[in-house]
């Protein structure tokens, strides 16, 4: 009997009603939604223009919420942020400057989902594209909800059609973290996805892990629609409390996934009771 089956049996024994409700939710909502998303992106891939090419070598897509709903707690009980808007903007500025230092030729896209367009004009001029989504009703609803992953996913989904720079190699990085001296561009594969898998706080877990580090990951130009599809497919799971770290691990096609041991970022986690410096 494999581990997955054992886990399901335990879940059924612990709470049979909740277990059965989850299975109904899968059958009625999740599976039909996944089929629709798969067909949608299949037709996009099939009928897209043949001359579609990347417009740069490397691009960093930064997600940021400088001005969040400060007083609302997120799903795991802590406040959404212990940083004020000026502190969060400085963190995003540090992210931008670290990219310019480590990968000077990279394009930078900054996606901002805060309640107000707090970002300084000088900061906006440092990036190649600035996308403010805070006045979008769906983004506002998602980012102000208790589900932090819901906000991240909706921000990306709404931004998909607005991003002007899709490169040969694309990074998604969170605005609270910056590239440190351990970052090495050559560690990131030029094809497929490159991710850092984590499992039960084991920083060196293998590809069988159920979680990836979403502070930073990369994908090649050929993987763009797989990336978009994975973000969208995760929504029904995110709405019932699954973190985006789990849904992306679930829906990135494993045959295209590469593993990186040291990602080379650092920063301060802010959705906790106290400020915690992290380095990966």
């Amino acid at each position: 009997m494999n581990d997955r089956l054992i886990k399901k049996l335990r879940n059924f024994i612990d709470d049979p009603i909740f277990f059965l409700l989850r299975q109904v939710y899968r059958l009625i909502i999740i599976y039909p939604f996944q089929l629709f998303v798969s067909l949608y992106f299949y037709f996009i891939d099939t009928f897209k223009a043949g001359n579609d090419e990347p417009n740069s070598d490397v691009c960093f897509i930064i997600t940021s919420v400088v001005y969040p709903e400060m007083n609302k707690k997120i799903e795991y009980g802590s406040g959404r942020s212990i940083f004020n808007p000026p502190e969060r903007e400085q963190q995003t500025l540090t992210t931008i400057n670290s990219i310019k230092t480590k990968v000077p030729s990279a394009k930078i896209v900054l996606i901002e989902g805060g309640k107000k367009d707090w970002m300084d004009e000088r900061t906006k001029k440092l990036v190649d594209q600035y996308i403010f989504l805070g006045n979008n009703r769906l983004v506002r609803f998602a980012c102000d909800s208790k589900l932090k992953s819901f906000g991240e996913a909706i921000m990306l989904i709404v931004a998909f059609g607005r991003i002007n720079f899709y490169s040969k190699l694309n990074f998604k990085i969170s605005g609270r973290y910056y590239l440190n001296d351990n970052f090495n561009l050559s560690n990131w594969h030029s094809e497929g996805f490159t991710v850092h898998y984590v499992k039960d706080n084991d920083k060196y877990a293998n590809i069988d892990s159920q979680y990836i580090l979403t502070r930073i990951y990369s994908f090649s130009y050929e993987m763009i629609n797989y990336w978009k599809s994975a973000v969208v497919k995760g929504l029904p799971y995110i709405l019932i409390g699954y973190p985006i770290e789990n849904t992306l691990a679930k829906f990135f096609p494993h045959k295209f996934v590469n593993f990186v041991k040291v990602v080379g970022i650092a920063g301060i986690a802010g959705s906790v009771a106290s400020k915690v410096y992290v380095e990966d």
Side-chain angles (χ1 to χ4, degrees):
M1 188 178 297
N2 61 42
D3 292 341
R4 180 173 294 183
L5 183 57
I6 292 173
K7 184 178 180 180
K8 287 186 176 182
L9 287 173
R10 287 176 177 170
N11 289 339
F12 176 75
I13 293 170
D14 290 342
D15 193 339
I17 294 177
F18 181 68
F19 177 85
L20 292 173
L21 286 174
R22 285 181 60 185
Q23 306 317 307
V24 171
Y25 182 76
R26 288 174 185 269
L27 289 172
I28 295 177
I29 303 295
I30 292 179
Y31 295 146
F33 182 77
Q34 289 176 8
L35 177 61
F36 171 79
V37 173
S38 295
L39 290 172
Y40 174 80
F41 282 101
Y42 170 78
F43 284 110
I44 286 180
D45 272 338
T46 302
F47 297 108
K48 70 180 180 181
N51 60 351
D52 197 13
E53 295 290 341
N55 48 24
S56 59
D57 289 332
V58 181
C59 178
F60 283 81
I61 300 168
I62 305 171
T63 52
S64 169
V65 181
V66 165
Y67 201 111
E69 181 63 62
M70 301 294 292
N71 298 322
K72 185 170 287 186
K73 291 186 176 181
I74 52 179
E75 65 268 32
Y76 38 88
S78 63
R80 180 165 294 276
S81 178
I82 58 175
F83 299 108
N84 58 40
E87 289 175 320
R88 292 178 71 93
E89 181 179 15
Q90 181 58 49
Q91 292 167 350
T92 301
L93 180 59
T94 301
T95 304
I96 295 169
N97 287 333
S98 73
I99 294 169
K100 287 185 171 294
T101 299
K102 297 295 182 182
V103 193
S105 62
K107 298 294 184 182
I108 301 176
V109 177
L110 175 56
I111 303 170
E112 171 57 41
K115 292 176 65 177
K116 299 178 182 179
D117 190 359
W118 184 275
M119 203 69 68
D120 188 274
E121 291 299 321
R122 290 171 294 182
T123 302
K124 295 178 185 178
K125 291 178 180 178
L126 291 175
V127 301
D128 297 281
Q129 185 182 7
Y130 176 71
I131 303 173
F132 178 69
L133 301 176
N135 54 3
N136 180 284
R137 291 185 178 182
L138 181 58
V139 171
R140 190 75 280 119
F141 173 73
C143 287
D144 293 345
S145 73
K146 290 185 177 182
L147 301 172
K148 191 174 182 183
S149 292
F150 185 38
E152 167 100 356
I154 292 299
M155 278 179 61
L156 289 173
I157 291 168
V158 173
F160 283 160
R162 307 187 189 192
I163 296 175
N164 293 333
F165 299 96
Y166 282 121
S167 304
K168 294 178 181 178
L169 180 62
N170 304 274
F171 288 86
K172 202 296 295 185
I173 183 171
S174 298
R176 285 203 313 273
Y177 303 95
Y178 58 89
L179 306 183
N180 63 15
D181 290 340
N182 293 323
F183 180 84
N184 187 339
L185 189 61
S186 64
N187 290 341
W188 299 82
H189 293 250
S190 60
E191 297 181 354
F193 294 90
T194 305
V195 303
H196 179 81
Y197 276 86
V198 292
K199 182 178 182 181
D200 298 328
N201 296 320
D202 178 2
K203 296 176 69 173
Y204 307 114
N206 60 29
I207 199 168
D208 294 324
S209 171
Q210 295 181 346
Y211 296 86
I212 67 168
L213 187 74
T214 56
R215 293 167 186 157
I216 186 172
Y217 57 84
S218 76
F219 52 94
S220 65
Y221 184 79
E222 294 76 18
M223 295 294 110
I224 289 173
N225 279 340
Y226 286 109
W227 172 58
K228 293 178 179 180
S229 175
V231 175
V232 177
K233 281 182 177 179
L235 282 176
Y237 288 95
I238 288 172
L239 288 172
I240 57 173
Y242 283 69
I244 197 169
E245 290 85 355
N246 176 246
T247 61
L248 292 184
K250 186 186 298 291
F251 293 116
F252 282 170
H254 283 188
K255 64 181 179 179
F256 298 130
V257 172
N258 306 288
F259 174 71
V260 61
K261 186 175 181 180
V262 178
V263 298
I265 62 166
I268 301 175
S271 298
V272 291
S274 59
K275 299 176 182 179
V276 179
Y277 176 80
V278 294
E279 187 170 7
D280 294 291

